[in-house]
Amino acid sequence: MNNIDAFNIAVAEILGECYREFPLRVRLSKLDIGETIKIAMGDDPDGVYNLSEKEYEIAEEAMNWLMEAGYIWSRKPDNRISMEGVTLSPKGLEILNAVPETLQEKKTLGDLISGGVKTIGKDVATTSVKTVLTYGLKLSLGT
C-alpha cells in the first residue's frame, strides 16, 4: 500500500462528506475512513478493527492534517476513534466550490468528491485531492 494514495483516499472521503453535509457538522470515524482506504486499495475488510493497522493510522493522521492545515474545523478533535462536530472551514469551502479549468465536466471539486470514494473510485479521488491541495496551496500563497 502506498501511503500517499491512502492519504489521498482519506482526504477525498473526509472532504467529500463535509461538503455533502455542509453547513451541518458531521462525525468523522477513523474506522469508516480506514475501511474506505482498504476497499479502495483492493483489500477486503475482515470486519475486525485493529486500530494499529496502517489504514486506520492514515485515516487518523489525514483528519488531523486537514484540521491543522485549516481545511476543516472540529469541536472535539481529540477523540482517538472519531472527530465530532466537523465542518469545512472557509478555506475548505472556497476550495471545494472551485471549478478547475482542467475539468471537462464543469463541476465544483466538492461536487466531484461528495459522492464518496466508493462511488467515484480511487483514481478520480486521488486526482481530485491533488487538485484540491494544489489549489489550497495557491490560495494560501496568494497566487
Side-chain angles (χ1 to χ4, degrees):
M1 175 179 66
N2 179 309
N3 284 6
I4 296 296
D5 286 344
F7 172 80
N8 286 337
I9 290 164
V11 168
E13 191 70 12
I14 293 163
L15 293 180
E17 184 171 344
C18 289
Y19 187 83
R20 183 174 53 254
E21 297 298 326
F22 190 83
L24 301 176
R25 291 180 178 262
V26 298
R27 177 182 172 273
L28 296 175
S29 167
K30 175 180 167 178
L31 300 175
D32 293 341
I33 296 165
E35 188 170 296
T36 297
I37 293 169
K38 282 185 166 193
I39 292 168
M41 300 298 279
D43 294 335
D44 188 22
D46 55 12
V48 176
Y49 297 105
N50 178 352
L51 294 180
S52 64
E53 285 182 279
K54 197 176 226 181
E55 293 87 356
Y56 301 110
E57 290 177 359
I58 290 171
E60 180 178 11
E61 292 306 324
M63 289 189 285
N64 291 332
W65 188 88
L66 285 168
M67 195 170 67
E68 290 171 11
Y71 289 91
I72 60 174
W73 291 337
S74 176
R75 289 191 175 141
K76 295 181 184 176
D78 54 359
N79 185 330
R80 180 143 161 76
I81 302 298
S82 64
M83 278 189 180
E84 304 292 332
V86 180
T87 191
L88 294 171
S89 69
K91 173 184 175 179
L93 181 60
E94 181 176 349
I95 292 165
L96 293 178
N97 275 331
V99 180
E101 293 175 13
T102 57
L103 290 180
Q104 291 181 358
E105 287 184 56
K106 294 302 177 193
K107 287 185 170 183
T108 67
L109 289 165
D111 286 335
L112 191 60
I113 64 173
S114 67
V117 174
K118 292 175 188 171
T119 302
I120 63 174
K122 174 185 163 191
D123 293 335
V124 172
T126 300
T127 301
S128 299
V129 167
K130 289 176 185 177
T131 304
V132 165
L133 298 181
T134 299
Y135 187 75
L137 179 61
K138 287 179 182 180
L139 184 65
S140 296
L141 296 174
T143 60

